[in-house]
């Protein structure tokens, strides 16, 4: 037995690795060997004979091919063909591939040509030949070309024509024709020979006979009709109506659903022919929408018929007539005149369009009328080009080349932003204004690991801007005393913190009675007197209803409300958004007695963060300049947001939800009389009056960062919402932020945002929109919460014009749909794409940080880097530790700290970037000893909002110039892109004085991936992705991987596996690449934070919230401190207890792994979730993606379900 085992193990490696049967037999042989005394000899003989038989089969397989080529004896040929068919049938695709690699295709085609010359040809030989060709054809990518060149196409076709009644012969012939037809050139050639008409002679109405032949004929026809030429031929001959008639017949008679594959084959033919515009028109004319809608509704009750329902749904979606968006123009509803008009690019095209041009939709919804049949001779080349097209292949371009780009004399203008580098200027730094009670006040360091305590009646009283600015101006030239003082006593710090905690009062309480608030539509923040400590509400007249309300006042004064007198509103009044029914319905709440008539309504906000001050926010909003000149304030921005005290898991998507939503959309066409089609809100027509009906929702978005352009009521509780384009643009619809009121509890309201543009979204993977309820905030729950059910994101029937789609015709918009049940009657609720963070919120936070920090310990300076196009200031923040004393050595250490340069919010819709930045700023300003060490290690230069104008005006991606500012870093225009021009100027100045930042990081948000991750820049990893990867032996410092690796160890939301360090051509003008290539910063990153949630680590399965985002900002700071320790171990030593840092070097594990994710679309790389859960449903392009990704096998053998309602398939 030992000898037998050893001999068996000498079998060819390919035999062992490619045949699991042999592996199993060898295992049995090993067992026999170990139990040789107990096993009968017959068992051993059986096992060894099986192994020898399989070995013989493997050895003789290639010999059979040679014999087949040389033999002229018919019976020998048939025997060999039978053996090969048996081998291929048993071995599956792998053995067929071996046969192809040995030249089997050419030999079999040559044999077919020889056999066809006999008259008549031998039937058995033809059956065997076609059976074998049908099995190996799909494994040969050149099969169609070989068949066409050899002249074999017409041989198979003629056999079918001449033997229509010989089902045994034509079955394998049809199978081969199906494989031939996958080549578009072959399909056109066969179509000209009458193959389409021939197929309709074989397929027909319901019959229990020859169902196998019918199925193969339908599959062949579906493949042929993918050719536009053949599809037009089928339309011209009226075959679309024929197919629908046949389908209805099979649907009616197949009551036991035994012939689902045939029914699906008919649908596949309809699907192929409707790929052209003529086919879709013929389908509509033949009443195809109603037919497929009714039949698919019949199939819903039977789960096994889901492939029919999904294919029908796909066909109906494709044939649904393209509608135009109900807008006068797709350009933004707001206009801002640019100081300079670009000479080229989309903005220039926008300005050059004549006024009479209809930019909403084209005359044609597609451009498929021109026949462009072509053949991809090598699919591998196509895939390779696809993968590497955007990767930079020029090594010379990849190499960083430090260049200032501007004269040194010109860069000296930025010297004023670096006073910390000059001793004299340091000593003259003004002491920021702060009251004694606020000195050393507590700054909350965000951590998602601990729940924040809930306490009532806590907030921080705001300070007036004018008074603060006046006091700062008086001290601006004084030498601060803190340079001569020792460090502040820690006990005194603690006592001051306690005093500050005790002084936190609730400034946002509302003294509005039950009766008053119930009828208010708007309430201003103005009071009759600055000295009064309560709100007086005058009579309010509703023009529409002509109803007046008697002037009432609160009986009880609010002792702790900062007065908002008339002086506060000089120049411009500011209004709160519509206030809800602030009382609580007695039927809903038990504590409704506290809201009785004349009683004070107190807003008890738990755990109000010290950085939020409602009154200060209002003061700042006054000076914020918006294009629409907003005069209202959204309640969430006024009240503030605290993270909810509960976790919000990623939503599980119910089975069939997308299919159901699409079906309801199709009903709009079939049952048009059921559609209300009533305009409820319209920015383009401000004078439009909304009908005053009790059950209608009311909408509003006229506040900072708001975005909602139009609302149309579709059904009683269903509304279509249209978003506004970015100003000076005609696209970028994704960000939304709007107010809803007038709701009723217990009703499911469906909202459809119908003009989104991205091809996929995390709304398909468990992300929910956010809602803020004013009623909940008044009930001590002031937070944004994830809400909504039946959420999905899919392509709709609204057409995008080629003007808005980069010249492409036939593109569609996408719909975000979700259903919400409101908890309170007549509430005022706000919906947002992500947690809003306005420009005024940033200004408020910075002012609070400045007023509350300890100036003896923290060097904090806020400058205005520049003004934006609309005149808003772009803040620049400097943070570091104050020198220990004013001695020379301490000042030198102060001046020579390395720089860290951070920026955020270049894309307005990525609000999560601002929340991460908030976490960074709060951590840097905290009293945490680690934060103090960090300040002593670095000087932080931070531009927390690179695109203030875009944020203010509710843009998703652009500034007022209509351009993506993160594509302007190569050549920023000082007139059109001032924030980028001057932010780059700061970095160029640092490069000029040889003080390059150690790290540059631009904070972003990511709409289509989970977790937090980084993009960096690496020559080597970029080269690894190119075709010419021969230069991958180049040596590169792996230091760029250190910080991401650190973050993956300490930040629970960070994923190293999602990071990419590839440089793409399309990203040449982004901050990350320009700062790396031109400025010379090796550690130049984009840090992307998910909008959805995490699929790994501590927060796996949870949607991300502001607590987790702020924690990421704090962890980024901790990562920088660890980076300092790793890069300068001798200069800097911290107790390990402060950071919990392992003593291993991170660089040792920073090896270049498998190719990292490369980027193709905006800032977002492709990702595998697109394959198995695509908003595109069952479109072929998604299946092609799967093929490119690996050996992708759909879990349902019939077809990949259009709603992706199948078990997730994990790609290798």
């Amino acid at each position: 037995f030992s000898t037998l085992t050893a001999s068996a193990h000498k079998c060819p490696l390919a035999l062992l690795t490619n045949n699991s049967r042999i592996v199993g037999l060898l295992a049995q042989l090993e067992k026999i060997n170990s139990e040789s005394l107990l096993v009968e000899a017959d068992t051993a003989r059986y096992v060894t004979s099986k192994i020898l038989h399989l070995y013989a089969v493997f050895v003789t397989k290639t010999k059979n091919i040679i014999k087949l080529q040389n033999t002229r004896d018919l019976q020998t040929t048939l025997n060999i063909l039978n053996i090969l068919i048996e081998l291929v049938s048993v071995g599956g695709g792998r053995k067929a591939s071996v046969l192809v690699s040995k030249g089997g295709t050419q030999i079999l085609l040559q044999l077919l040509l020889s056999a066809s010359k006999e008259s008549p040809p031998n039937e058995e030989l033809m059956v065997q030949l076609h059976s074998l060709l049908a099995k190996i054809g799909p494994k040969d990518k050149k099969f169609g070309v070989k068949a066409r060149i050899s002249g074999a196409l017409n041989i198979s076709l003629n056999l079918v024509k001449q033997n229509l009644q010989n089902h045994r012969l034509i079955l394998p012939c049809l199978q081969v024709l199906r494989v031939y037809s996958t080549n578009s050139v072959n399909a056109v050639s066969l179509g000209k020979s009458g193959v389409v008409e021939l197929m309709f002679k074989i397929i027909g109405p319901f019959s229990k006979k020859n169902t196998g032949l019918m199925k193969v004929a339908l599959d062949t026809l579906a493949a042929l009709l993918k050719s536009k030429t053949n599809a037009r031929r089928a339309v011209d001959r009226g075959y679309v109506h024929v197919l629908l008639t046949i389908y209805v017949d099979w649907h009616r008679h197949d009551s036991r659903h035994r012939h689902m594959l045939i029914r699906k084959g008919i649908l596949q033919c309809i699907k192929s022919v409707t790929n052209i515009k003529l086919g879709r028109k013929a389908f509509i004319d033949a009443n195809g929408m109603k037919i497929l809608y009714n039949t698919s509704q019949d199939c819903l009750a039977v789960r096994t018929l889901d492939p029919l329902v999904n294919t029908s749904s796909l066909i109906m979606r494709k044939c649904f007539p393209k509608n135009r968006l109900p807008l006068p123009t797709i350009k933004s509803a707001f206009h801002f005149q640019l100081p300079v008009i670009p000479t080229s690019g989309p903005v220039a095209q926008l300005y050059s369009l004549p006024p009479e041009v209809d930019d909403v939709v084209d005359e044609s919804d597609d451009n498929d009328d021109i026949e462009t049949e072509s053949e991809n001779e090598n699919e591998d080349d196509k895939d390779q080009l696809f993968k590497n097209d955007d990767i930079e292949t020029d090594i010379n371009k990849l190499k960083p080349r430090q260049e200032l780009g501007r004269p040194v004399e010109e860069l000296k203008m930025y010297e004023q932003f670096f006073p910390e580098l000059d001793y004299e200027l340091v000593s003259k730094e003004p002491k920021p204004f702060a009251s004694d009670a606020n000195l050393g006040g507590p700054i909350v360091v965000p951590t998602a690991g601990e729940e924040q305590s809930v306490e009532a009646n806590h907030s921080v009283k705001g300070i007036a801007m004018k008074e603060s600015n006046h006091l700062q101006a008086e001290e601006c030239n004084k030498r601060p005393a803190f340079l001569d003082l020792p460090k502040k006593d820690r006990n005194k710090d603690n006592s001051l913190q306690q005093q500050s905690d005790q002084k936190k009062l609730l400034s946002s309480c509302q003294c509005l009675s039950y009766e008053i608030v119930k009828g208010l539509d708007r309430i201003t923040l103005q009071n009759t007197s600055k000295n009064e400590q309560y709100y007086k509400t005058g009579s309010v007249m509703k023009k529409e209803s002509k109803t007046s309300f008697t002037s009432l006042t609160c009986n009880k004064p609010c002792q702790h409300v900062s007065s908002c007198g008339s002086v506060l509103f000089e120049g411009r009044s500011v209004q709160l958004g519509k206030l809800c029914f602030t009382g609580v319905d007695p039927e809903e709440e038990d504590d409704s007695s506290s809201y009785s008539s004349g009683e004070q309504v107190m807003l008890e906000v738990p755990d109000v963060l010290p950085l939020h001050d409602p009154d200060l926010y209002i003061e700042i909003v006054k000076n914020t300049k918006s294009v629409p000149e907003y005069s209202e304030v959204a309640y969430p921005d006024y009240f503030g947001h605290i993270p909810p005290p509960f976790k919000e898991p990623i939503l599980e998507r119910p089975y069939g939800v997308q299919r159901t939503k699409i079906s309801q959309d199709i009903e709009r066409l079939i049952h048009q009389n059921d559609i209300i089609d009533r305009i409820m809100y319209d920015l383009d027509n401000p004078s439009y009056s909304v009908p005053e009906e009790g059950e209608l929702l009311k909408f509003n978005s006229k506040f900072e960062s708001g975005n909602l352009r139009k609302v149309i009521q579709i059904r009683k509780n269903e509304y279509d919402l249209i978003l506004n384009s970015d100003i000076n643009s005609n696209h970028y619809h994704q960000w939304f932020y709007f107010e809803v009121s007038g709701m009723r509890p217990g009703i499911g309201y469906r909202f459809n945002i119908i003009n989104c543009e991205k091809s996929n979204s995390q709304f398909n993977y468990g992300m929910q929109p956010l809602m803020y309820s004013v009623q909940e905030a008044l009930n001590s729950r002031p937070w944004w919460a994830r809400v909504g059910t039946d959420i999905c994101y899919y392509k709709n029937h609204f057409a995008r014009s080629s003007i808005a789609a980069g010249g492409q015709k036939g593109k569609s918009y996408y719909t975000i749909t979700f259903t919400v049940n409101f908890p309170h009657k007549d509430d005022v609720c706000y919906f947002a794409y992500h947690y809003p963070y306005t420009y005024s919120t940033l200004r408020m936070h910075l002012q609070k940080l400045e007023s509350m920090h300890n100036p003896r310990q923290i060097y904090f300076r806020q400058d205005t880097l520049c003004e934006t196009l609309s005149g808003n200031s772009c803040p620049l923040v400097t943070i570091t530790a104050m020198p220990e004393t004013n001695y020379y050595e301490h000042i030198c250490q102060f001046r020579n700290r390395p720089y860290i340069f951070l920026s955020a919010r270049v894309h307005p819709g990525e609000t999560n970037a601002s929340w991460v930045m908030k976490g960074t700023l709060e951590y840097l300003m905290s009293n945490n000893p680690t934060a103090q060490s960090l300040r002593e290690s670095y000087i932080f230069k931070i531009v927390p909002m690179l695109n203030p104008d875009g944020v203010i005006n509710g843009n998703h991606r652009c500034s007022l110039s209509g351009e993506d500012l993160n594509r302007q870093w190569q050549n920023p225009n000082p007139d059109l892109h001032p924030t980028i021009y001057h932010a780059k100027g700061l970095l160029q100045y640092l490069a000029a004085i040889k003080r390059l930042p150690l790290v540059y990081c631009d904070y972003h948000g990511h709409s289509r991936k989970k977790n937090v991750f980084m993009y960096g820049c690496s020559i080597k990893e970029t080269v690894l992705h190119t075709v010419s990867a021969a230069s991958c032996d180049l040596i590169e410092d792996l230091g760029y991987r250190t910080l991401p690796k650190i973050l993956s160890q300490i930040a629970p939301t960070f994923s190293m596996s999602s990071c990419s360090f590839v440089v793409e051509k399309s990203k040449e003008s982004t901050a990350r690449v320009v700062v790396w290539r031109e400025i010379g910063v090796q550690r130049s990153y984009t840090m992307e934070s998910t909008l959805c949630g995490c699929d790994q680590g501590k927060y796996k399965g949870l949607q991300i919230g502001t607590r987790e985002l702020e924690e990421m900002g704090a962890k980024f700071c901790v990562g920088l401190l660890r980076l300092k320790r790793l890069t300068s171990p001798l200069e800097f030593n911290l107790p390990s207890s402060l950071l919990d840092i392992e003593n291993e070097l991170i660089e040792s594990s920073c090896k270049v792994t498998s190719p990292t994710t490369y980027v193709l679309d905006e800032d977002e790389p492709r990702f595998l979730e697109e394959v198995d859960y695509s908003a595109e449903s069952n479109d072929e392009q998604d299946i092609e993606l799967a093929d490119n990704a690996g050996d992708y096998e759909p879990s349902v053998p019939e077809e990949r379900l259009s709603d992706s309602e199948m078990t997730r398939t994990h790609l290798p």
Side-chain angles (χ1 to χ4, degrees), residues 705-707 723-727 731-736 757-758 833 905-911 947 949-951 953-959 964 1005 1007 1091 1162 1164:
S705 294
N707 191 318
L723 304 180
N724 197 19
S725 302
D726 286 5
I727 293 176
H731 55 304
Y732 298 122
H733 312 99
Q734 207 79 20
W735 166 257
F736 57 87
E757 293 171 322
K758 292 190 176 182
Y833 182 61
R905 206 66 186 282
V906 70
H907 295 144
E910 296 168 6
T911 57
N947 192 352
D949 287 344
V951 172
N953 292 286
N955 285 4
H956 176 66
R957 195 170 184 86
C958 299
S959 69
D964 181 349
S1007 68
L1091 291 165
E1162 294 182 355
E1164 304 180 359

Side-chain angles (χ1 to χ4, degrees), residues 603-644:
L603 170 61
E604 296 186 353
V605 182
D607 198 18
V608 173
L609 293 179
L611 292 190
H612 188 81
D613 184 331
D615 302 311
L616 179 57
Y617 184 83
I618 295 297
E619 178 75 12
I620 290 172
V621 166
K622 284 176 45 188
N623 299 307
T624 297
K625 300 172 184 176
S626 61
V627 173
E629 297 185 351
Y630 293 131
S631 60
E632 299 173 25
V633 174
Y635 273 93
D637 304 323
Y638 174 75
F639 283 149
H641 157 82
I642 64 170

Side-chain angles (χ1 to χ4, degrees), residues 81 212 440 445 626 732 761 780 789 805 897 924 1120 1124 1162 1200:
L81 287 173
V445 178
S626 61
Y732 298 122
S761 167
S780 304
T789 57
R897 295 168 187 164
L924 290 176
L1120 290 173
K1124 175 72 173 179
E1162 294 182 355
R1200 201 167 147 269

